[in-house]
Each structure stands twice: as structure tokens, then as C-alpha cells.
Amino acid sequence: MMMLYLQWRVAPEIFHIGSFALRYYSVAFMAAFLVSYVLLSVVFRREGTPPALLEKLTIYIFVGTLAGARLGHCLFYDFDYYRYHLWEIILPVTHNEQGWVFTGYQGLASHGGAIGILLAAALFCRRYQVPYSWLLDRLALAVPFAGCLIRIGNFFNAEIIGIPTQLPWAVIFTRVDNIPRHPAQLYEALCYAVIGGWLWYAYRYKQALSRPGTIFGWLLMAVFSVRFGLEFIKENQAAFENGHLLNMGQLLSIPLIAIGIYCLYHAKRKYGKREPD
């Protein structure tokens, strides 16, 4: 029986103006920050934290995420190219027959983004005297939904595709090839949305507030365990990963899972069975 798979033919650009193109991924990336801002504003308002602090935090996290994700891609996945094109890390333009073309930051790595967020949050806490574990627990409530939107952007870009499959919900990314594949981006997006809902449930009902660092620990454990597992049904992102037991995404997930385990252990050991305030 012939299967009727979804033929994904959507172009990654919404529109062109000269050499500039607005991509669905760019919209998803900005939507991720907007949704995160709205969710954190709910948290700050609920806890009586000054809104001005959130505005300052947004700048730190935006810069940290973009810088970390960009450097993560350039160093972890495509270092052989960018070590000879250092300026393209910061200024995403390339030259072809039509002249100079703005390409946008198409190479962004989620692990680098995670590291960038941690460093930006640390700098923010030092500058404004905010407890680090308190802030990480609150950021953890927004991160999964941001990740969900970014993976949807990856789906529109027909990137981070899955390995071939004959499952009825397989997708043919026609800009890549004509092979039915796992829509791995959508699997990941769905998992992140579920994780985000679970963390909000824990937060709203004060399940974890009595142990600072617990929500953040759960975030790292859940998100990067999902990432580690789903890598088995994804195509490798770089040629050097071929033939290896674990790819770069899995290798980078292991230390973050370990940090999550440590956060949970530390919170339990330090705060025990302390009741929520």
C-alpha cells in the first residue's frame, strides 16, 4: 500500500527585500523571547518582583543566548570553517555572484545557548544581588516553551531532520531529498512543551519552591535527556559525527544532565523536607 506522506515544500523565507530575507526561524526565535518575557512577567508579578528588574534581565538573557548559541555552533559543529572566517561569527554575511548577502545567524546551537544563559544569569545576579538558584528556577519555567518555538522554526527551515522511517506520520522534506523521515523537530517541540507544562504545575502548586534549584535541576534532567534520546533518530549535524557511537549533541548533553542531577542532590541535601513558605 502506498503511504501518503506529508510533502514539506514550504520555503524558509517569508519574504525578500533586496538581499534581506525574513525567515520563519527568525520569527520563531523572536517569538521565543516574547513568550519567555510574558511568562516571566507573570512570575515576577505573582511574586512581587519589580518589573524593571525583568527588563534588565531580558537584555542579559537575549545577549547571552544569542552569543552562546552562535559560538556554540561555530566551535562545536563547524570550527573547521569558522577558524578561517572569524568575522562571519559576528557579522553573518557572505559574498557570491550577486555581491554581499546577509545570511542571518543560521548556525545556532542549543547547548551553546544554554551555556550563554547560565553565564548571563550569573552576571545579572552579581550585578543586581539576586540569588542565582532563585533566578535559574524562574528562567526554567520559560526555557522549554522557548525551545519548543525554536524547534518549530527548525521544522520550517527543514533542518535537524530525522532519519528515514516508514511511519505514517513521516515527512518528506523536499528541499533536502525525497525520503520519508521522522519529523524530529516536532517530536522535540512537543516534548519541550510537555516539560514546560510539568514545571509550571510544580511551580504553581509550590511543589518545588521549598528547595531552591530543584526546578532548574528538573529542567536540565528532562530537556537534555530528551535531547540525548532523540539524537538517535536524527541525522548527524556535521560530517565528523558519522561513525561515532554518540554525536556532538549527545556528548554535550551528558554534562548538562549531570549538572541537573547535582542540582537536585544539592537542593535535597541542603533543604531536606522544608515546607513551602
Side-chain angles (χ1 to χ4, degrees), residues 12 21 23 33 44-45 59 66 68 85 115 125 147-148 165-166 171 175 183 200 208 221 223 235 237 242 244:
R23 290 172 169 263
F33 277 96
F44 277 43
R45 186 168 58 250
I59 297 173
L66 187 59
H85 304 81
I115 295 171
C125 290
C148 172
T165 181
Q166 298 299 315
V171 175
R175 291 194 298 111
W200 267 90
M221 281 277 294
V223 165
E235 293 286 1
Q237 302 302 301
N242 296 334
H244 293 181

Side-chain angles (χ1 to χ4, degrees), residues 53 56-57 60 120-130 135:
L53 197 63
K56 296 181 177 68
L57 173 64
Y60 275 77
L123 293 173
F124 176 84
C125 290
R126 182 175 181 179
R127 172 67 176 82
Y128 295 100
Q129 301 299 304
V130 175
L135 180 60

Side-chain angles (χ1 to χ4, degrees), residues 155-182:
F155 182 79
F156 274 90
N157 265 0
E159 60 190 1
I160 314 182
I161 59 176
I163 61 176
T165 181
Q166 298 299 315
L167 290 171
W169 56 82
V171 175
I172 298 176
F173 297 94
T174 57
R175 291 194 298 111
V176 179
D177 54 32
N178 292 311
I179 301 173
R181 297 177 176 277
H182 284 285

Side-chain angles (χ1 to χ4, degrees), residues 15-134:
F15 62 81
H16 288 266
I17 299 179
S19 62
F20 172 80
L22 179 63
R23 290 172 169 263
Y24 288 102
Y25 181 86
S26 300
V27 173
F29 193 84
M30 297 309 299
F33 277 96
L34 177 60
V35 169
S36 297
Y37 182 88
V38 171
L39 292 175
L40 288 174
S41 67
V42 171
V43 172
F44 277 43
R45 186 168 58 250
R46 186 172 187 252
E47 300 187 8
T49 306
L53 197 63
L54 176 58
E55 295 172 5
K56 296 181 177 68
L57 173 64
T58 301
I59 297 173
Y60 275 77
I61 297 303
F62 180 83
V63 174
T65 302
L66 187 59
R70 181 61 173 169
L71 288 172
H73 170 80
C74 297
L75 296 178
F76 298 149
Y77 290 97
D78 208 2
F79 181 67
D80 285 343
Y81 174 82
Y82 284 103
R83 65 177 173 173
Y84 299 114
H85 304 81
L86 293 176
W87 59 275
E88 288 188 33
I89 297 176
I90 300 173
L91 187 62
V93 296
T94 188
H95 190 271
N96 57 26
E97 295 79 6
Q98 287 75 40
W100 291 99
V101 178
F102 178 80
T103 61
Y105 292 108
Q106 299 182 39
L108 299 174
S110 57
H111 293 90
I115 295 171
I117 290 173
L118 292 176
L119 293 176
L123 293 173
F124 176 84
C125 290
R126 182 175 181 179
R127 172 67 176 82
Y128 295 100
Q129 301 299 304
V130 175
Y132 193 43
S133 59
W134 179 90

